[in-house]
Amino acid sequence: MNREMRRASEKEGRRLQKLGWDEFQDVTEEAIKRHLILNRDPLRGRFADKVYKNNKYIVQVFRGVVRKGRNYIKVMIRRSDSEPIYSWQDMYRIKNEIFGEEVEAIQFFPKKSELVDDANLYWFWIETVEL
């Protein structure tokens, strides 16, 4: 994505942030067609299995991630305007709306040698569940 495209995307994101919260839509096919899947999983080098979007957030889901012998779904969340996420309540609402109210998620803070901090991306991990 070049600088002009990034600026246009951030401008549209700022406009969307001003709107009320709307329902998440599965935009996986659209994301593939439009190349909106901007980030590969930095640790695995693969594209998201699912992409959800509402006017405020984009959520990418990576299934089948194994860490220390346990199977997880790895979830990446970013704001539509690429600004930092300050609201724990928004993260909790995203978890509930996409994965369910009775699903537990863990926010993950990696060791320094695995840290990738290129953007305002937030991650949580869920032990394998069906979507």
Side-chain angles (χ1 to χ4, degrees):
M1 176 182 285
N2 64 35
R3 188 180 335 192
E4 184 178 317
M5 290 172 62
R6 185 181 328 269
R7 286 181 181 158
S9 175
E10 289 172 357
K11 182 178 179 181
E12 174 64 6
R14 286 189 298 274
R15 183 189 72 77
L16 292 171
Q17 286 292 321
K18 294 176 184 175
L19 304 175
W21 187 288
D22 65 354
E23 186 175 325
F24 277 99
Q25 303 294 319
D26 182 341
V27 295
T28 306
E29 293 300 318
E30 177 186 337
I32 291 168
K33 288 177 186 172
R34 290 185 173 191
H35 304 286
L36 287 178
I37 301 176
L38 302 176
N39 301 319
R40 291 178 182 229
D41 175 344
L43 298 179
R44 305 281 183 254
R46 59 181 248 217
F47 288 109
D49 297 302
K50 285 283 196 183
V51 181
Y52 299 93
K53 183 177 180 180
N54 72 3
N55 61 308
K56 295 186 175 288
Y57 295 98
I58 298 167
V59 179
Q60 294 182 9
V61 178
F62 300 87
R63 292 188 176 130
V65 176
V66 177
R67 182 164 176 83
K68 298 189 177 187
R70 298 182 83 162
N71 294 316
Y72 291 95
I73 294 172
K74 186 175 176 182
V75 181
M76 186 215 71
I77 302 170
R78 70 177 179 88
R79 281 177 45 141
S80 58
D81 63 356
S82 300
E83 291 296 316
I85 299 173
Y86 297 109
S87 173
W88 179 88
Q89 290 83 2
D90 282 4
M91 297 285 281
Y92 189 71
R93 184 172 179 178
I94 291 166
K95 189 267 314 171
N96 287 345
E97 288 186 15
I98 296 176
F99 300 97
E101 293 180 357
E102 293 303 315
V103 170
E104 291 181 326
I106 301 166
Q107 191 166 5
F108 183 73
F109 295 89
K111 57 186 175 182
K112 187 172 183 172
S113 62
E114 292 181 0
L115 178 63
V116 177
D117 191 18
D118 296 331
N120 292 315
L121 305 175
Y122 300 83
W123 299 88
F124 63 74
W125 298 62
I126 298 171
E127 284 200 76
T128 303
V129 296
E130 292 296 321
L131 290 181

